[in-house]
């Protein structure tokens, strides 16, 4: 049997990168995400475009999946499927952490909350499914921006409003936060979106190792932190939950 | 934050269900420590007939207990009690001396006793035993299944009358085997399971001699009726040898218990393939004039029994499966929500899934499913909406029937089961009921209920107040629909229901 054909493998990788709800990527995003030379990436994209698998936005020049490919079968993960798979794990996380749990996915230029488990203390709480959280300041948004190139380009483009005195708005500082997030595998929001509220998030991957969403615990900063530090047990619990959901979606151990 | 790795002691719950047997280990906070699960074979000898191999089930139960205990990394010394919950009404007869089942178990869905039930109704009809038992004469219930086995297994009636044969629903079968089988196993059942046989008198909580004679079941085969929460005996062998077996509850009653519906008027609804809604009606059985079933909710030790009204919906989750498998409109069950959310409303379409007739509160076997209100405007997304709305409207009809029978208004509905993952359905339910819909943090309410009852029996938990304090709200949907819209939609739904009736011509 002959070995894999490199250009096909690369074309598949590009399609996977573009597969998603609201995905548009520039040539340099595609090339750098996959470690390809720009010329190589451009050649493959043009071929895919001729086949109708990829379309290019005439104004921005960005690429997205083409109608032909969507006709072949929607490959992106349905968010309601994601919720159904995550249900038991997020319940468990709420119980073990004692805090509210959120499941979010990239939607346009923010984080769409697709699942919310109440903080298990029987206080009055309002279900926030359907709400949008900011991409640049929330823990969910930061973890998505760090791991999903589409979220990254959205976050780089939007005006990063200072929501509190602690919101990171500067370009270089924001990239630094994302580097740190990638290095340690989780993100934090310490009163950067809402005063008094802290949050910890970790990424959820599918079987192609694509980031399809993120899970977070959110609570009063006094409970999430102890002695000025984020509580390591909470971080471990969030990451365990994200790994469990990823495994359920077919991602390998990591 | 509590430590992720909890310490003992623990309670083990065995759930002998329709498709699988499971064992879940719980800690004192009601948190799941480990799970063992194994499916068993569904045997379909003829259309409408459904059987299980009871010997296979007992082997699986032993295995899942072993699995759960070993996954939890604990020993029998850490487990204070075992609770049992089970698929209801499924009937097995076995030889007292060898422990061998004399026939496959007849599963609750099995309809082979349809004709027998009609015959047993004589000139009265299906309500012949309703006053005593709270049940209509229907093929689900165990009594007629016993009679069928005695009539159809060669020589069985003689052996039964000679006292060689034992009857049990799956709780009895598991407890008898667990507590020693042929070596001194305890032949018992609990009031909730006994209330599904058509043989127990709801008021005396004892076998009804007259009905036994009418249906033709010898008293010698019957187990002793005990409360739902007391020590029946101890496990004789296996991973939990020596641990007291301390509760038994039919699965829906166990879910009522696990949802801590301990006060009159509290209700839970379990959304699976079908849906079962039970409402606690307190210490008196309430006769239903609106097509519901009267059943025992639970009985703790020598306390007074607590009764419940029950309504079931035959087709809920299975309608979504039908949309996926037969219609091919969605690829996964979860996608029904995505499709439904792509439109604002049902576009005027209504779907009444009376696939095998209308159940509670109508009980019309001549009805068949309809989709109505169709125009050129209607898309598959509107149909997806109509599918979800059908589940919500059917729940509303049962709740209305319960309010009429009991005089108690529903203040909130506690929900569990797989369909609670569907956010749109839960919101629609709150809208149509005009009452809050609440999901608890532990989704495994059936096993939790069995564990709670067993834990109460051995003093692991002190009382139902302590259990109530353990209950945690994971989500709550509040009504957002305005009254006019609700009334208008309900009227349309009822019109659609009318159109299902009389489709099947009078049977010969």
């Amino acid at each position: 049997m002959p070995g894999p054909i490199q250009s096909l493998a690369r074309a598949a990788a590009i399609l996977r990168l573009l597969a998603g709800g609201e995905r548009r990527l520039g040539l340099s995003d595609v090339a750098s995400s996959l470690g390809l030379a720009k010329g190589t990436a451009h050649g493959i994209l043009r071929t895919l475009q001729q086949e109708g698998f990829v379309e290019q936005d005439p104004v921005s020049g960005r690429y997205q999946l083409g109608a032909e490919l969507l006709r072949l079968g929607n490959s992106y993960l349905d968010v309601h499927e994601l919720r159904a798979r995550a249900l038991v794990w997020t319940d468990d996380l709420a119980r073990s952490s004692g805090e509210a749990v959120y499941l979010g996915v990239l939607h346009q230029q923010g984080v769409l909350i697709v699942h919310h488990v109440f903080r298990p203390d029987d206080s009055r709480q309002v279900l926030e499914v359907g709400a949008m959280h900011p991409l640049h300041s929330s823990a969910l948004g930061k973890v998505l921006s760090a791991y999903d190139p589409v979220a990254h380009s959205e976050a780089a483009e939007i005006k990063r409003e200072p929501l509190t005195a602690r919101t990171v708005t500067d370009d270089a500082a924001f990239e630094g936060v994302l580097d740190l997030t990638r290095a340690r595998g989780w993100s934090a929001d310490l009163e950067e979106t809402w005063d008094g509220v802290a949050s910890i998030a970790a990424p959820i991957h599918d079987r192609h190792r694509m980031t399809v969403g993120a899970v977070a615990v959110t609570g009063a900063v006094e409970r999430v932190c102890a002695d000025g530090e984020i509580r390591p047990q909470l971080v471990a619990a969030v990451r365990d939950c994200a790994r469990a959901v990823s495994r359920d979606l077919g991602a390998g151990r990591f | 934050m509590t430590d992720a790795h909890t310490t003992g002691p623990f309670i083990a719950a065995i759930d002998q269900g329709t498709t699988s047997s499971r064992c879940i280990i719980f800690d004192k906070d009601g948190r799941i420590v480990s799970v063992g699960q194994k499916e068993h074979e569904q045997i379909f000898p003829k259309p409408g007939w459904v059987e299980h191999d009871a010997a296979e089930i007992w082997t699986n139960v032993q295995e899942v207990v072993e699995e759960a205990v070993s996954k939890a990394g604990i020993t029998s010394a850490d487990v204070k009690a075992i609770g049992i919950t089970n698929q209801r009404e499924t009937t097995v007869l076995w030889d007292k001396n060898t422990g061998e089942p004399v026939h496959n178990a007849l599963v609750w869905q099995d309809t082979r006793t349809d004709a027998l039930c009609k015959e047993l109704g004589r000139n009265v009809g299906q309500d012949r035993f309703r006053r005593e038992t709270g049940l209509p004469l229907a093929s689900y219930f165990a009594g007629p299944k016993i009679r069928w086995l005695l009539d159809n297994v060669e020589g069985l009636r003689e052996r039964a009358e000679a006292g060689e044969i034992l009857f049990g629903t799956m709780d009895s079968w598991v407890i008898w085997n667990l507590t020693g089988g042929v070596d001194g196993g305890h032949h018992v059942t609990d009031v909730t399971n006994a209330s599904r046989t058509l043989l127990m008198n709801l008021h005396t909580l004892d076998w009804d001699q007259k009905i036994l004679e009418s249906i033709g079941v010898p008293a010698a085969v019957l187990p002793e009726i005990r409360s739902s929460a007391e020590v029946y005996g101890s496990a004789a062998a296996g991973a939990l040898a020596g641990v007291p077996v301390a509760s038994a509850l039919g699965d829906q009653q166990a879910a009522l218990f696990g949802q801590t519906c301990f006060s009159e008027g509290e209700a839970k609804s379990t959304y699976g393939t079908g849906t079962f809604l039970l409402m606690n009606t307190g210490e008196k059985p309430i006769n239903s004039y609106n097509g519901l079933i009267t059943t025992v909710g639970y009985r703790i030790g020598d306390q007074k029994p607590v009764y419940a009204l029950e309504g079931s919906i035959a087709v809920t989750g299975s309608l979504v499966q039908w949309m996926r498998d037969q219609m091919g409109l969605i690829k996964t069950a979860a996608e029904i929500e995505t499709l439904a959310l792509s439109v604002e409303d049902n576009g005027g379409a209504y779907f009444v899934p009376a696939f095998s007739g209308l159940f509670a509160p109508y009980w019309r076997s001549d009805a068949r499913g309809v989709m109505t209100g169709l125009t050129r405007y209607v898309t598959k997304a509107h149909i997806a909406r109509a599918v979800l709305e059908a589940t919500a409207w059917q729940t509303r009809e049962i709740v209305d029937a319960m309010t009429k029978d009991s005089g108690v208004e529903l203040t909130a509905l506690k929900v569990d089961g797989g369909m609670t993952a569907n956010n749109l359905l839960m919101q629609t339910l709150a809208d149509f009921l005009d009452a809050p819909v609440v999901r608890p943090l532990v989704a495994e309410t059936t096993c939790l209920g069995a564990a709670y009852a067993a834990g109460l029996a051995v003093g692991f938990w002190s009382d139902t107040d302590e259990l109530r304090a353990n209950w945690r709200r994971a989500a709550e949907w509040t009504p957002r629909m305005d009254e006019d819209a609700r009334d208008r939609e309900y009227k349309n739904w009822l019109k659609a229901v009318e159109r299902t009736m009389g489709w099947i011509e009078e049977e010969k």
Side-chain angles (χ1 to χ4, degrees):
Chain A
M1 209 176 98
I5 298 164
Q6 193 187 35
S7 57
L8 279 179
R10 284 173 171 170
I14 288 177
L15 290 175
R16 268 188 208 125
L17 194 63
L18 294 172
E22 298 275 340
R23 288 176 179 261
R24 278 187 189 172
L25 290 179
L27 174 61
S28 52
D29 287 323
V30 172
S32 64
S33 301
L34 299 172
L36 298 174
K38 270 194 185 180
T40 313
H42 188 237
I44 296 170
L45 279 165
R46 271 190 50 190
T47 312
L48 289 171
Q49 197 181 351
Q50 282 159 12
E51 296 294 333
F53 289 171
V54 159
E55 286 168 7
Q56 190 178 23
D57 184 87
V59 182
S60 67
R62 288 162 163 260
Y63 294 92
Q64 63 184 26
L65 288 187
E68 178 62 27
L69 193 69
L70 292 173
R71 264 198 292 278
L72 285 178
N74 287 341
S75 61
Y76 69 90
L77 179 72
D78 186 279
V79 297
H80 301 108
E81 181 72 16
L82 176 63
R83 182 201 296 141
R85 302 289 190 101
L87 201 66
V88 290
W89 306 111
T90 46
D91 276 3
D92 209 37
L93 178 58
R95 188 174 267 273
S96 68
S97 66
E99 300 295 346
V101 175
Y102 294 85
L103 191 67
V105 298
L106 177 70
H107 180 67
Q108 290 161 354
Q109 293 178 327
V111 181
L112 175 68
I113 301 303
V114 296
H115 184 49
H116 171 198
V117 186
F118 288 171
R119 185 174 65 251
D121 62 2
D122 268 357
S123 60
R124 264 296 139 210
Q125 294 163 70
V126 175
L127 204 61
E128 288 179 52
V129 173
M132 294 291 287
H133 287 188
L135 201 52
H136 68 289
S137 65
S138 70
L140 287 169
K142 284 193 269 189
V143 90
L144 289 173
S145 302
Y147 284 91
D148 177 349
V150 181
H152 183 227
S153 64
E154 296 290 359
E157 244 169 50
I158 53 173
K159 187 168 180 329
R160 291 188 292 275
E161 299 283 353
L163 301 167
T164 72
R166 289 166 173 266
T167 311
V168 176
T169 54
D170 171 73
D171 280 354
F174 183 67
E175 286 303 327
V177 167
L178 299 188
D179 286 341
L180 175 65
T181 300
R182 278 186 288 264
R184 59 187 189 182
W186 54 277
S187 67
D189 162 9
L190 300 177
E191 302 188 82
E192 292 157 61
T193 309
W194 296 283
D195 285 318
V197 176
S199 184
I200 302 163
I204 295 169
H205 304 290
D206 69 4
R207 64 200 167 89
H208 303 302
R209 304 263 328 167
M210 299 290 295
T211 302
V212 292
V215 63
V217 294
T218 297
V221 66
E222 295 82 2
R223 290 194 307 265
V224 173
C225 299
D227 306 323
E229 297 285 326
I230 295 165
R231 300 175 66 182
Q233 306 98 305
L234 272 181
V235 174
V238 173
R239 299 188 71 193
D240 280 348
C241 176
R243 271 191 287 264
V245 178
S246 300
R247 265 203 305 279
D248 234 347
L249 295 172
R253 286 183 180 275
F254 49 90
Chain B
M1 138 170 212
T2 53
D3 193 341
H5 301 280
T6 49
T7 52
F10 304 101
I11 300 285
I14 297 170
D15 176 8
Q16 202 302 294
T18 306
T19 56
S20 71
S21 301
R22 302 192 304 159
C23 177
I24 300 187
I25 310 280
F26 290 95
D27 69 8
K28 190 145 189 184
D29 295 330
R31 219 184 134 191
I32 293 171
V33 179
S34 68
V35 183
Q37 176 160 7
K38 193 163 184 201
E39 293 194 1
H40 55 261
E41 193 189 350
Q42 306 292 316
I43 305 163
F44 306 105
K46 286 186 189 182
W49 291 27
V50 190
E51 300 179 353
H52 290 158
D53 176 354
E56 180 195 3
I57 283 178
W58 168 236
T59 305
N60 289 1
V61 166
Q62 291 168 281
E63 282 179 30
V64 297
V65 168
E66 199 90 39
E67 185 188 347
V69 169
S70 103
K71 272 188 187 164
I74 58 175
T75 68
S76 59
D78 302 316
V79 180
K80 293 300 158 207
I82 303 168
I84 314 283
T85 177
N86 56 289
Q87 53 168 323
R88 303 178 302 175
E89 297 120 12
T90 296
T91 299
V92 61
L93 294 180
W94 69 94
D95 186 313
K96 185 182 189 167
N97 300 308
T98 65
E100 299 286 331
V102 299
H103 190 278
N104 279 335
L106 307 192
V107 179
W108 58 275
Q109 302 137 319
D110 189 299
T111 55
R112 79 185 68 184
T113 54
D114 266 346
L116 176 61
C117 287
K118 281 215 180 76
E119 184 192 316
L120 288 169
R122 295 234 216 114
N123 53 350
V124 186
Q126 64 172 14
D127 284 340
R128 183 176 170 203
F129 304 123
R130 193 187 270 274
R131 210 152 37 101
E132 296 85 349
T133 65
L135 310 175
L137 254 167
S139 61
Y140 298 119
F141 305 113
K145 292 187 198 289
I146 304 176
R147 161 74 179 272
W148 188 94
L149 288 166
L150 294 175
D151 287 351
N152 288 277
V153 179
E154 179 89 39
L156 194 58
R157 181 169 290 282
E158 292 69 34
R159 288 164 70 197
E161 275 161 3
E164 291 167 24
I165 301 296
L166 301 179
F167 149 77
T169 37
M170 298 319 280
D171 55 316
S172 303
W173 172 244
V174 170
I175 294 171
W176 187 79
N177 279 293
L178 199 55
T179 56
V182 290
D183 296 320
H186 295 274
H187 189 220
V188 298
T189 187
D190 94 297
V191 278
T192 67
N193 277 294
S195 79
R196 317 295 293 194
T197 56
L198 264 170
L199 305 174
M200 188 189 82
N201 187 303
L202 271 183
H203 306 271
T204 64
L205 301 184
D206 207 346
W207 303 117
D208 188 302
Q209 292 305 325
K210 270 194 178 151
I211 298 178
L212 291 182
E213 278 164 36
S214 304
I215 297 187
V217 173
V221 302
L222 299 173
E224 184 189 348
I225 300 174
R226 305 277 288 267
S227 80
S228 319
E230 63 174 271
V231 176
Y232 311 122
S234 294
L240 294 177
V243 177
V245 181
S247 78
L249 288 155
D251 51 12
Q252 298 306 326
Q253 281 88 343
L256 186 74
F257 208 87
Q259 286 271 27
T260 66
C261 295
F262 299 133
S263 303
E264 198 174 325
E266 286 189 294
K268 73 90 202 174
S269 191
T270 302
Y271 290 89
T273 315
T275 289
F276 292 88
L277 210 157
L278 271 76
M279 180 194 257
N280 180 327
T281 60
E283 292 172 0
K284 280 209 187 82
I286 290 177
N287 282 326
S288 177
Y289 298 96
N290 293 285
L292 304 171
I293 281 172
T294 310
T295 196
V296 181
Y298 57 88
R299 183 184 192 178
I300 302 169
D302 51 16
Q303 295 176 24
K304 283 188 174 163
V306 171
Y307 293 90
L309 278 171
E310 172 175 327
S312 54
I313 310 171
V315 180
T316 51
S318 55
L319 181 58
V320 176
Q321 289 165 3
W322 182 83
M323 289 284 282
R324 182 192 62 196
D325 302 333
Q326 259 95 330
M327 294 293 105
L329 291 176
I330 44 174
K331 290 199 300 282
T332 66
E335 269 182 44
I336 188 92
E337 188 174 354
T338 312
L339 185 56
L341 278 170
S342 67
V343 287
E344 297 272 297
D345 56 31
N346 60 20
Y350 299 82
F351 190 164
V352 187
F355 290 167
S356 42
L358 282 170
F359 287 49
Y362 303 99
W363 300 103
R364 289 283 296 259
S365 54
D366 63 345
R368 285 299 178 270
V370 298
M371 258 189 249
T372 185
L374 301 183
T375 59
R376 268 302 287 277
Y377 172 73
V378 169
T379 66
K380 62 180 180 177
H382 295 116
I383 302 297
R385 279 255 169 189
V387 159
L388 297 179
E389 291 182 359
T391 292
W393 284 129
Q394 290 179 92
T395 305
R396 163 77 189 260
E397 290 187 311
I398 288 178
V399 167
D400 283 358
M402 283 183 174
T403 305
K404 272 188 213 152
D405 280 333
S406 68
V408 182
E409 289 270 351
L410 185 79
T411 48
L413 183 66
K414 292 176 169 179
V415 293
D416 50 66
M419 285 181 98
T420 57
N422 192 313
N423 194 66
L424 178 62
L425 173 62
M426 293 299 111
Q427 182 59 51
T428 306
L429 201 51
D431 287 343
F432 289 3
L433 292 175
D434 195 20
V437 168
V438 201
R439 180 176 81 82
L441 197 50
V442 174
E444 300 289 353
T445 51
T446 303
C447 278
L448 186 62
Y452 277 172
L456 280 182
V458 297
F460 185 73
W461 288 291
S462 54
D463 53 27
T464 52
D465 287 343
E466 190 184 349
L467 299 179
R468 211 189 266 281
N470 251 349
W471 191 90
R472 293 279 178 275
R473 184 188 288 115
E476 177 167 347
W477 293 269
T478 45
R480 295 196 295 228
M481 194 176 199
D482 75 61
E483 200 162 336
D484 291 346
R486 175 167 39 243
D487 291 347
R488 187 182 63 238
E489 287 296 307
Y490 197 16
K491 239 173 97 185
N492 286 343
W493 164 260
L494 293 172
K495 275 196 321 205
V497 169
E498 258 170 51
R499 279 160 177 74
T500 67
M501 297 182 193
W503 179 258
I504 300 291
E505 304 285 324
E506 186 72 24
E507 284 170 52
K508 286 183 288 225

